[in-house]
Structures are given as structure tokens and as C-alpha cells.
Amino acid sequence: MTTSPYSILFEPVEIGPVTAKNRFYQVPHCTGSGALRPRILAGLRGSKAEGGWGVINTEYCSVHPSSDDLPYPSATLWDDRDIKAHTLTTDKIHAHGALAGVELCLGGARMANLATREVALSSGNLPNLAGNPFQTRQMDKTDIKNARRWHRDAALRAKSAGFDIAYVYATHGYLLSQFMSGKMNHRTDEYGGVLANRIRLLREVIEDTKDAVGDTMAIAVRFSAETNGGGGGDGAPIPGETEEIFGMLGELPDLWDINVSDYSLEMGLSRFVPEGALEPYVAAMKSMTSKPVVSVGRFTSPDTMVSQIKRGIMDFIGAARPSIADPFLPNKIAEGRPEDIRECIGCNICYTGDGKGVPIRCTQNPSMSEEWRRGWHPETMNKKRSDDTVLIVGAGPTGLEAAQALGKRGYNVMLAEATRELGGRVTLESQLPSLGQLARVRDYRLGQIEKLDNVEIFRESDLTAEQVFEIAPDHVAIATGATWRRDGYGANALGCITGLAGARNIYTPNDIMAGNIPQGRTIVYDDDHYYMGSVIAETLRQKGLDVTLVTPGDVLSSWGAYTMDRGRAQSRLMELGVELIVSKSLTSFDGQSAHFECNYTGRKTMRETGSMVLVTARKPNDQLYQDLIAHPSYENGAAFKSLKKIGDCDAPGIIAAATFAGHRYARELEENVDIDNPLKYDRVFSCCD
Ligand code: ADP
Ligand code: SF4
């Protein structure tokens, strides 16, 4: 690597008593598996170690049942029985020479202990910061002693489990932030009041952890840069406080992991937050300590990474999402093939796993969380079973993923696309405001296909059933996508809205993406509840229309809360002057006036509007599939060895579901998949039975 422009990224870096083999550092991130699914977790983290990451951390790891965050699945180190589960992960990390870190966590008022029913503890009787109707107990001196002991005991268990780095988690509004916060900490004893008192517990926990395990383990502190030391939703920065804290603690830990307490900035959607957004915060913190600093920025470009290191912004390239989208990112840079990096698109679908309590998935990386349970390696495909040919119809995310993955298996693949442009929905959607990074879904796959001489693309080939029979491939996959509906069918209506029948001036997102734009005053009716409604409203507002967004939901973009689309989308629409109306169901529109009914009172309202954009649900474009199976040449299935519809044309969904469907089709072609037991099931604590 000495002649590589990227060699600086592969320098070893000391962190206290341990040494990272390079500067690629997977910061703690949730997996939706945590303590619940140890084997899925070990497979996931292990693939990153194999892919070259020098440091790999757990998600937040609760140290005691009074810090229980279920249904959000954290890791746990509550007692010795947890050790074995963690060992599954640390063994896999060590097998590739990487360091394993554990993010020990005292939760305080952010955790409601819904599963354990323990009383949560904090600096005072705080309301639950996650909106649950429970307050915390104000910790007395015994509670503080106990909390310190729980953290220390968990650090000792972490050592037994083989971890190399122990975190003290002092941001994101958890217990240590609550103590540090001038707003939340009203104590009058030596743990409250002046700053030196408010950081006392943090100092003690760092010292306890160092004392317990610091001889062999590095101690990292995760810390918020933008407010008075801990953030914790404190609001306005207190000038000078961070400098004061670093004056007292700056040299105490072995590493500082710097972020900001606002998740929607720290792990901002590409729709709202650019790459490297934390740089000003991190640079300021780095200047206050001689210890190594890591932070994040959705870095996927090795040039940007090198620049961060050379300019002294940080010592490690921290990553959560780029390591999810491409566990093999470091190896690809080391091997001089950065063009193979599967770049994160900043959609935050990965984050929905935590909010929903299920294993995380990734739009770009269909093998995420499937490494163990389906045995999918993020880079290596199973070898083909025969010399059969495969025709894939439709080059959206489903078809492109299926084609590149089948090509890597070794099959001869024909990919037919009706239009000149490839990419289907991601190409169309990437032209909407702020969604440009969706194009990476297409570009990565096209880049891979270009390297394969056994995959041929046929553009402007709008295939009919007859043509498919003429081509006569062994296997056919129909990936012809879906189209937004014009009849009002959606999650709320669960049927067509009869009052729309025959109405003029009804538009759908497909119309808007095709450049067919209404004029004057319009209503966007959002019964989809994710990003499309707000993006369409933004598009039309930017074109100068007078826009009202109406949704039958109680909030705008309710599902967008899981990806952090919701809050920022609402702010943006309000700033743009889009009127928002919630809890109203559309009952009719005649081309001039729209009628709504309140979901709670049934009260009817009317609005004059020249047009209506319906963002409700999509209909599969499965006509070709239906034509094929109805055709005499199909011979009751004898015409092909297999025929399948996949992706949006099978069941319309998110883009991550499309890439998953395409990948799954490729993985399973000619394999004997047991449809009754398609995947291994990671039973809770089964590894410890
Ligand atoms: P998905 O998300 O499942 O990939 P998309 O809607 O993004 O679905 O992509 C479907 C693609 O299929 C589009 O690019 C569309 O032009 C193409 N397509 C639809 N019907 C045909 C057809 N009969 N022949 C070839 N391509 C088709
Ligand atoms: Fe990036 Fe989206 Fe994958 Fe998350 S789900 S890692 S944001 S591409």
C-alpha cells in the first residue's frame, strides 16, 4: 500500500493499550438484533471484520435491567449469561484481526423499562424522554454507587467476552448526559450545580472503567460536540462549557467518539443533510485533546476520508451506515477498486430495524442481517447450478440487482428494459428534489454489470409475451415494477374512492415524475405515509404552485418517523409555505372541489382546488406475467424451467424490498429452498441453552 494515495487510511493507530490495524472504525450502531438475536448479530459484525474494518463496536449495551429499552433491542451485559452471546461476535471480529468494542450504557430517563418493569433512575424525577408516561426516581447516593458498580461489572464481563474497547456513553440524552445537563440536572448536592459537579458522575464512571479493565482494554467516551458537553437535547450551547469539560477530562479516556445529540443531523438523511456535516463540530473537539478522535459523516469516498485525516479533523474514519451498505468498503479501497464500493444512499431504512425491533435491512446491501440466517455473504455469490439462460424483464432496482447477482453466479443473463433509461423507479425518483442519491442504487449495479461479460442489456425493449416465447430462455423473471394508482385506493380507504370516478385533473407521482405538472392550486393527498407525499408537495411548491397537503394520518409522513424523514420533511414543507391538514379522508373530487371527512368527528369539509395529486398506493405492472401464463405457448408451465414475478411487480414496496427481491431471486435460482423453512431462526438466547 505504500504507493497508494489511500495508504494513510491503513496506518495502525494506538488506542490506549490496544492498537487498531487501520483507521476504519465502525462506530456503535443499532442492528435491531441486539441481545435478542445473537447469531444474526455475530454474522453481521463478523462480515464487517472480514471486509477490513479495523474496529467494530456493538450497539448500545445496557448494563442493568433498570436500563431496558425494549421494544428497541439493545445489547445487554446484565449478568454472566450474556457473555457467551457476545463471544460469538468478538470471536468473529478477532478472526480477522479487528478490535471489538462495546458501548456500555446507563439509560436513565430515556428508557422506560417496559419489559423489566424496573424503576428508571436519573438525576431527578425526570419525565421519560421517549414519551412514555413514567418518571424516573431521583438517584440518591446509594443509587449512584449501584449504577457505578453495574457499569463496572458490565465492563468486567465485557473483558471476559473478549472486547478490546469499553465505551462510556455520555451523549444522546442517556443518563450521563442527564447529569451533565444544566437544564435537566437540578441537584443541589455534589452531583449538581456547577459544571465540575455535573460531570462528576461521568468522571467517576470513566475512572471506574479504567480501573476495572483499563490495563488491557481501551476506554472510549462517546460525547456530544454541539452543546454543553452532553447535549441531551439541551438546546442552546453554553459558551465555553465544552472547552471547560475538555480541560478537566480531555486526556482521561483513550479515545473520543464525537457526535451531536440530534440524531436527525448526526445520521441525517441525504434528503436533508450533506456528507461530512459534522466536520466543524469534530474539528473543534479534536483541537482540545491529544487523544485519538473518531466521528462520522456518511463517508463513502476514499478521497474525502484521506482529506479528513490529512487535515487533522479526525484520526479514525467512523462509519455506521457506510459499513452497513458495504461491509467490504475498506478491503475494496485496499485492493484498489473503490469503484466497487456500494455507496450508502442516506435513506435510513437501516434505522427502521431499531424502531420496529427487527433485524436491520439496507437498501443497498440486501445481505444485511442475512449473513447467518440465510447464509448470504455480502460479496460472494453461490455458484451457478447449470448453463441455463435467464431473461429478466425490467431494469429497475429489482431487475438490476437480480441481473448483477445472477451474473456473479455465472449464469448467462439477458436484461430487457422497455425504456432507454435504466434504473426504473430509482432513476425517476432521483430527479425529485433532494433524492439524487437514489441514483447510486442504479449506478452501483450498472458498474458491476459492466464488469460481467455474461450479462447483456437490451434497452428500448418493451417485451410482449410473444417475444418472450421467441427468446425462449430457460428461466424468466418479470420485474416490471408498479405504477401509482389513480383511484384513491390506499391504506385508509382500502378500496377505490368512488367519488373520484371520472374526475378530471387527477395526477399521480408518475405524472409528476414524467413532467406532467398541474397548474395553480393543488391538493396532494397522502395516504402512503412515507416520503413520496412530502416530496411531491415540495416539488410542486418549488414550481410555484399553491399546495395543500392533506393526509388521513394524524401526522404528516407517519412511517417517515422510523427513517427520520418525518420531522425534517414537516419543517421543510412549513418553511416552503405548504399548508398541512391531518386526519381528513378524501371522499370525492370533481375537478374543481374536493370533499373530506374528519376521521374523528365525521364532519365534512370542502376545498376548492383545480387539481388533486393522489399519493396512495401502487398497482403491480404484472400484465406481461399474466399474458405469459395465459398464453397457449406457456403449456401449463412447460415452456420455461421457471417463471417468476419479483419486486414491485409482485408486491409493491420500498426500494430496499426491491433490491432484496432481486437478490433473493438470484440466490435461490435452481437451489432447493425449503419454502416451509426458508431461513434459520435465531431463538432468543438459544446460543446459551
Ligand atoms: P422495481 O422496483 O421492482 O425494480 P421499477 O418500476 O423500478 O420496479 O422498474 C420496472 C422496470 O421495468 C421499469 O424500468 C420499466 O420501464 C420496465 N418494464 C415494464 N414493463 C416492461 C416490459 N414489458 N418490457 C421491458 N421492460 C419493462
Ligand atoms: Fe445507507 Fe440506506 Fe443502507 Fe442505511 S439503508 S446503510 S442509509 S443505503
Side-chain angles (χ1 to χ4, degrees):
M1 285 303 300
T2 46
T3 56
S4 161
Y6 308 126
S7 53
I8 195 168
L9 301 175
F10 295 91
E11 290 171 351
V13 182
E14 281 182 16
I15 316 172
V18 299
T19 302
K21 68 176 179 178
N22 61 32
R23 296 182 190 268
F24 291 95
Y25 190 109
Q26 181 244 277
V27 295
H29 74 73
C30 297
T31 60
S33 285
L36 300 183
R37 304 174 186 96
R39 290 188 174 104
I40 289 178
L41 190 58
L44 182 162
R45 305 275 188 216
S47 80
K48 299 191 196 199
E50 189 189 346
W53 295 85
V55 180
I56 294 155
N57 286 287
T58 64
E59 51 267 271
Y60 63 152
C61 178
S62 165
V63 301
H64 184 263
S66 62
S67 292
D68 149 45
D69 212 13
L70 282 173
Y72 310 106
S74 74
T76 56
L77 270 170
W78 291 351
D79 62 31
D80 287 355
R81 284 171 297 176
D82 279 323
I83 293 173
K84 193 171 171 190
H86 283 287
T87 309
L88 293 176
T89 293
T90 54
D91 283 351
K92 285 198 184 306
I93 291 173
H94 290 153
H96 300 281
L99 298 178
V102 59
E103 186 183 36
L104 300 176
C105 180
L106 289 158
R110 273 204 64 181
M111 297 186 181
N113 303 328
L114 296 173
T116 63
R117 301 185 191 172
E118 290 293 313
V119 172
L121 309 172
S122 187
S123 51
N125 296 117
L126 264 65
N128 182 265
L129 301 178
N132 296 288
F134 301 94
Q135 290 182 227
T136 53
R137 178 166 86 226
Q138 174 160 334
M139 291 168 79
D140 61 19
K141 295 290 164 48
T142 308
D143 292 323
I144 289 176
K145 246 169 126 178
N146 287 340
R148 288 177 57 185
R149 183 166 47 77
W150 298 333
H151 197 279
R152 185 190 165 89
D153 289 349
L156 287 166
R157 287 185 204 110
K159 184 174 178 168
S160 303
F163 285 103
D164 309 289
I165 300 171
Y167 265 71
V168 174
Y169 195 3
T171 179
H172 291 147
Y174 292 103
L175 182 74
L176 296 172
S177 304
Q178 292 152 28
F179 269 83
M180 272 191 285
S181 162
K183 189 170 174 184
M184 285 189 271
N185 180 344
H186 299 157
R187 299 176 73 97
T188 52
D189 63 5
E190 66 269 36
Y191 289 94
V194 297
L195 184 60
N197 283 355
R198 283 185 276 122
I199 64 164
R200 186 179 304 281
L201 184 57
L202 169 60
R203 174 195 284 281
E204 287 173 349
V205 173
I206 297 172
E207 287 171 348
D208 291 342
T209 314
K210 277 188 94 160
D211 180 57
V213 300
D215 53 338
T216 59
M217 291 174 74
I219 311 303
V221 176
R222 205 168 197 201
F223 197 77
S224 161
E226 90 280 40
T227 61
N228 52 340
D234 240 17
I238 299 179
E241 262 207 357
T242 303
E243 289 83 343
E244 212 183 319
I245 293 175
F246 265 60
M248 293 185 268
L249 302 180
E251 300 302 310
L252 199 53
D254 300 309
L255 175 135
W256 288 95
D257 180 340
I258 301 299
N259 53 35
V260 292
S261 59
D262 176 359
Y263 282 116
S264 79
L265 173 60
E266 180 192 327
M267 47 178 292
L269 285 158
S270 59
R271 202 180 149 190
F272 302 110
V273 178
E275 283 181 35
L278 303 193
E279 180 173 325
Y281 302 100
V282 184
M285 308 293 278
K286 169 113 177 90
S287 68
M288 296 181 215
T289 177
S290 70
K291 300 294 179 170
V293 166
V294 61
S295 188
V296 294
R298 200 158 29 81
F299 300 118
T300 56
S301 150
D303 293 320
T304 309
M305 295 174 194
V306 168
S307 161
Q308 291 282 317
I309 304 293
K310 285 200 169 153
R311 289 186 294 120
I313 310 297
M314 56 184 77
D315 301 283
F316 286 99
I317 300 300
R321 291 173 295 171
S323 73
I324 294 168
D326 197 339
F328 278 63
L329 181 150
N331 280 1
K332 289 175 182 177
I333 298 173
E335 291 158 14
R337 45 186 192 98
E339 74 282 1
D340 285 338
I341 293 172
R342 220 168 21 238
E343 290 183 294
C344 168
I345 65 167
C347 63
N348 283 359
I349 282 298
C350 47
Y351 186 55
T352 64
D354 184 52
K356 292 285 192 186
V358 294
I360 58 171
R361 58 166 80 194
C362 170
T363 304
Q364 280 284 59
N365 177 10
S367 64
M368 180 55 30
S369 299
E370 304 294 354
E371 302 85 353
W372 173 78
R373 71 175 182 178
R374 287 185 208 264
W376 291 1
H377 188 276
E379 293 300 309
T380 313
M381 293 297 296
N382 40 332
K383 292 275 168 286
K384 67 175 182 178
R385 293 275 178 186
S386 71
D387 291 330
D388 284 359
T389 55
V390 187
L391 171 67
I392 300 166
V393 187
T398 306
L400 286 172
E401 173 61 24
Q404 71 95 20
L406 279 168
K408 286 176 179 166
R409 284 192 66 184
Y411 284 100
N412 284 317
V413 180
M414 292 165 279
L415 175 61
E417 165 55 46
T419 65
R420 183 139 198 84
E421 288 279 335
L422 303 173
R425 64 179 290 190
V426 292
T427 296
L428 290 173
E429 293 182 26
S430 68
Q431 287 149 23
L432 294 171
S434 324
L435 295 186
Q437 292 207 353
L438 288 184
R440 290 178 168 184
V441 175
R442 172 198 65 206
D443 295 343
Y444 165 73
R445 288 163 179 86
L446 282 179
Q448 298 300 294
I449 289 171
E450 268 166 29
K451 294 186 173 192
L452 296 164
D453 53 18
N454 51 333
V455 179
E456 213 175 339
I457 298 179
F458 300 90
R459 296 171 194 249
E460 297 177 278
S461 303
D462 191 357
L463 295 189
T464 61
E466 280 73 19
Q467 288 169 319
V468 173
F469 287 116
E470 271 167 36
I471 296 167
D474 294 307
H475 304 274
V476 185
I478 304 297
T480 43
T483 305
W484 287 94
R485 299 179 69 126
R486 214 174 274 280
D487 55 10
Y489 184 99
N492 183 62
L494 287 177
C496 306
I497 300 177
T498 48
L500 299 179
R504 292 168 292 117
N505 300 340
I506 289 185
Y507 294 76
T508 70
N510 288 102
D511 295 321
I512 309 301
M513 290 188 284
N516 184 10
I517 307 292
Q519 300 295 317
R521 165 179 277 274
T522 195
I523 288 177
V524 176
Y525 182 65
D526 181 7
D527 193 15
D528 173 59
H529 309 285
Y530 187 21
Y531 61 90
M532 190 53 85
S534 65
V535 173
I536 292 293
E538 183 180 345
T539 308
L540 298 179
R541 186 72 194 114
Q542 283 182 1
K543 291 188 184 295
L545 274 75
D546 191 354
V547 181
T548 301
L549 190 149
V550 184
T551 176
D554 285 343
V555 291
L556 167 75
S557 180
S558 55
W559 206 80
Y562 295 105
T563 54
M564 282 181 305
D565 276 85
R566 214 204 76 66
R568 288 195 178 232
Q570 177 149 351
S571 307
R572 180 170 284 178
L573 292 189
M574 290 171 86
E575 276 159 16
L576 287 171
V578 173
E579 183 189 15
L580 302 176
I581 298 177
V582 298
S583 309
K584 296 260 190 300
S585 299
L586 177 66
T587 54
S588 71
F589 173 63
D590 61 7
Q592 283 181 327
S593 45
H595 294 263
F596 297 94
E597 198 169 277
C598 171
N599 288 354
Y600 292 96
T601 64
R603 198 170 295 137
K604 295 180 177 22
T605 47
M606 190 274 283
R607 287 244 159 184
E608 298 292 342
T609 179
S611 56
M612 171 77 60
V613 186
L614 295 174
V615 186
T616 59
R618 288 178 301 145
K619 206 172 189 161
N621 302 327
D622 62 357
Q623 192 57 51
L624 176 59
Y625 176 83
Q626 302 300 346
D627 289 349
L628 284 167
I629 56 173
H631 201 282
S633 308
Y634 185 54
E635 293 169 5
N636 290 326
F640 312 111
K641 289 187 179 167
S642 70
L643 166 68
K644 227 174 167 29
K645 55 182 164 64
I646 54 174
D648 283 316
C649 134
D650 184 35
I654 58 176
I655 299 166
T659 51
F660 181 82
H663 193 85
R664 182 175 189 179
Y665 173 76
R667 286 271 179 195
E668 296 183 351
L669 187 74
E670 294 198 289
E671 299 291 339
N672 281 329
V673 177
D674 176 359
I675 60 160
D676 295 328
N677 295 293
L679 45 82
K680 285 188 272 184
Y681 182 51
D682 206 3
R683 287 184 178 79
V684 177
F685 295 132
S686 57
C687 67
C688 307
D689 293 344

